Amino acid sequence: MKSKEFWFALTVFLTTIAGMPQELLYIALALFGFITFFSALKNKLLSRSDYLLILFIILNVLFFYYGQIFNLDIDNRFIDVERSNSFFPYGVFIVSSIFIARKFNVDVWKYLLYFILIEIVVGIFEYILGVPYIIKATVVTGDTEFGSTDLLYYNRVYGLSSSSSVFGQKILIGLVLFHLLKNSINYRKISLVLLLAGLFVTFNRTVILAVIVFVLLYYFKNFIYSSIKVKLTIMLGFVLTFSLIFAKFGTIINQFSRGKGTVDATGRDMIFPTFIEIFKDNFIFGNFGSKVYIMVNGHSYHAHNSYLETLTSLGIILSFILFYYLCKNIKRNRFIYVLPFLIYSMAQYGLFWGISLFDLVFFSIIFIKDDSVFNNKI
């Protein structure tokens, strides 16, 4: 066991576990990220594009404290009164995440994958026992009691996470890491079965969509270069999968629409237009670097879309710098592995949270030094 990587991965993973002192863990990771950033700056190890991050930090801090001093009414209108405060610009933590992620290596990925697999085992037992969680969750799914309906959406388990959505994110991360580490992990078949079981017991529709797109592109990309045996296996797998979908199409539609039989946006048809209007009203500066949350029936909601949330919170100037920086740094051979994160974030607030496991793995795929892991063939 490589103890340094193990404890690093464990610290990152613990930030997702319900009941942990997450604020302290976030502070520790944030300090590590800032130290790494300033060390790189001092030792002149920043790339040319990294200087965009310095501009991003300076503007983020200036906009944030300008908003705090001169636009308090606007800021308080959108603050998340349930779960957060706005004493510090969260955009700075995105930069911290980028530099934390640069300390990831393949061994850190392995340990994270093993931790995720352990949590899936817990989730499977929760599902079998008919309980949504064994550690008291902070976010409860809602409309029906667990086990009172055959709709999977209302029977999602939480594993060890604070919500089923966080657990679902980890399943997505696990499947991406599984494919990246396919030639260097033990018990591959068991791991794959567990990850697929995790998709079922979390039944996060956005995760499932992102995984489907990723798997199709991944195996299509590798199909041409694979052996005849692998090609036949892939073809057989897809034939069986699509045959099952065709045979159970009505049931699948019923499950994905939560029994409604039609497209189910789960409130996004109301949330998206509201955030778009907020963005239009605060186009340049956004919410001055404070995350935008809207109040609905006494509860605060984010945009359920990372790009809309970022634009609305940071404004067009800071968002453009961040998006442009990432576009400049994503290499072609890594795009397929970051794509599931990008797709997921179109219907969930996944990326650009600040410091999160989802962000850290995403950034680590972009910046990890070992390029050979992206060139392995199936």
Side-chain angles (χ1 to χ4, degrees):
M1 177 187 294
K2 298 186 177 181
S3 59
K4 180 181 177 181
E5 284 80 6
F6 174 84
W7 290 111
F8 183 32
L10 181 61
T11 301
V12 171
F13 185 75
L14 288 177
T15 64
T16 68
I17 303 300
M20 293 300 298
Q22 295 178 335
E23 291 80 5
L24 295 177
L25 293 171
Y26 282 131
I27 291 172
L29 286 174
L31 288 174
F32 177 69
F34 293 146
I35 290 170
T36 304
F37 169 73
F38 287 114
S39 175
L41 179 62
K42 178 182 178 181
N43 296 310
K44 299 180 180 180
L45 298 176
L46 298 180
S47 67
R48 182 178 299 178
S49 65
D50 285 340
Y51 286 95
L52 285 171
L53 296 178
I54 298 177
L55 176 62
F56 178 85
I57 290 174
I58 293 171
L59 291 179
N60 191 193
V61 172
L62 288 176
F63 291 173
F64 178 80
Y65 287 107
Y66 174 84
Q68 290 289 303
I69 296 170
F70 297 106
N71 293 274
L72 290 176
D73 290 339
I74 294 177
D75 185 67
N76 289 335
R77 178 183 173 190
F78 301 121
I79 189 172
D80 177 12
V81 296
E82 290 185 296
R83 286 162 293 185
S84 70
N85 57 58
S86 59
F87 298 125
F88 200 77
Y90 86 95
V92 175
F93 291 108
I94 297 175
V95 177
S96 179
S97 288
I98 290 172
F99 283 87
I100 295 170
R102 290 186 179 186
K103 294 298 182 179
F104 278 48
N105 56 32
V106 170
D107 290 312
V108 174
W109 279 354
K110 286 181 185 177
Y111 288 126
L112 284 175
L113 177 57
Y114 294 149
F115 294 148
I116 290 170
L117 292 173
I118 292 170
E119 183 168 353
I120 291 173
V121 173
V122 174
I124 292 172
F125 276 105
E126 289 172 340
Y127 191 85
I128 293 172
L129 295 173
V131 296
Y133 47 78
I134 58 174
I135 302 176
K136 186 173 177 58
T138 58
V139 181
V140 180
T141 300
D143 298 341
T144 62
E145 185 176 349
F146 189 92
S148 63
T149 173
D150 60 355
L151 293 175
L152 295 174
Y153 182 88
Y154 298 112
N155 294 324
R156 298 179 293 173
V157 299
Y158 294 54
L160 300 173
S161 303
S162 58
S163 72
S164 62
S165 295
V166 174
F167 191 17
Q169 284 185 358
K170 285 188 270 190
I171 304 302
L172 176 59
I173 290 169
L175 280 161
V176 173
L177 293 181
F178 172 83
H179 286 83
L180 277 168
L181 300 169
K182 57 187 174 296
N183 294 329
S184 57
I185 58 173
N186 301 320
Y187 308 107
R188 289 184 57 202
K189 292 181 180 179
I190 296 175
S191 298
L192 181 58
V193 169
L194 287 175
L195 287 164
L196 294 177
L199 276 181
F200 179 82
V201 298
T202 57
F203 197 70
N204 186 304
R205 295 169 297 174
T206 310
V207 169
I208 293 172
L209 174 62
V211 167
I212 289 173
V213 174
F214 170 65
V215 168
L216 288 174
L217 291 177
Y218 176 85
Y219 285 101
F220 176 78
K221 171 179 174 288
N222 286 278
F223 184 82
I224 299 173
Y225 305 102
S226 58
S227 65
I228 295 296
K229 180 180 178 180
V230 173
K231 285 180 179 177
L232 290 174
T233 302
I234 293 173
M235 291 175 62
L236 178 61
F238 279 116
V239 168
L240 291 175
T241 300
F242 284 110
S243 297
L244 178 62
I245 292 173
F246 181 79
K248 300 291 184 179
F249 188 74
T251 302
I252 293 171
I253 292 297
N254 187 59
Q255 289 289 349
F256 274 83
S257 66
R258 299 193 300 173
K260 298 178 181 179
T262 58
V263 176
D264 176 36
T266 324
R268 290 169 178 79
D269 50 342
M270 179 275 293
I271 294 173
F272 286 179
T274 302
F275 272 82
I276 290 171
E277 287 302 314
I278 295 172
F279 174 60
K280 288 179 180 178
D281 292 339
N282 304 277
F283 182 76
I284 301 298
F285 300 105
N287 200 37
F288 296 96
S290 293
K291 290 185 183 181
V292 174
Y293 285 81
I294 60 173
M295 297 300 295
V296 180
N297 297 325
H299 294 285
S300 56
Y301 289 84
H302 52 65
H304 287 72
N305 178 300
S306 290
Y307 317 106
L308 187 55
E309 180 72 35
T310 304
L311 284 165
T312 309
S313 301
L314 298 181
I316 192 66
I317 297 174
L318 290 173
S319 296
F320 175 79
I321 294 173
L322 177 61
F323 296 157
Y324 178 72
Y325 172 80
L326 291 175
C327 288
K328 281 186 67 66
N329 282 281
I330 298 177
K331 297 179 182 178
R332 181 177 299 179
N333 66 338
R334 305 185 183 202
F335 180 75
I336 191 172
Y337 298 102
V338 300
L339 184 61
F341 297 83
L342 298 173
I343 293 173
Y344 175 88
S345 296
M346 294 175 66
Q348 295 283 356
Y349 185 19
L351 291 175
F352 317 127
W353 187 276
I355 296 178
S356 69
L357 176 64
F358 201 74
D359 276 318
L360 291 173
V361 175
F362 171 77
F363 291 136
S364 71
I365 293 172
I366 296 174
F367 293 107
I368 196 168
K369 295 178 181 178
D370 186 3
D371 201 56
S372 64
V373 71
F374 300 99
N375 300 319
N376 294 326
K377 302 293 188 298
I378 59 175

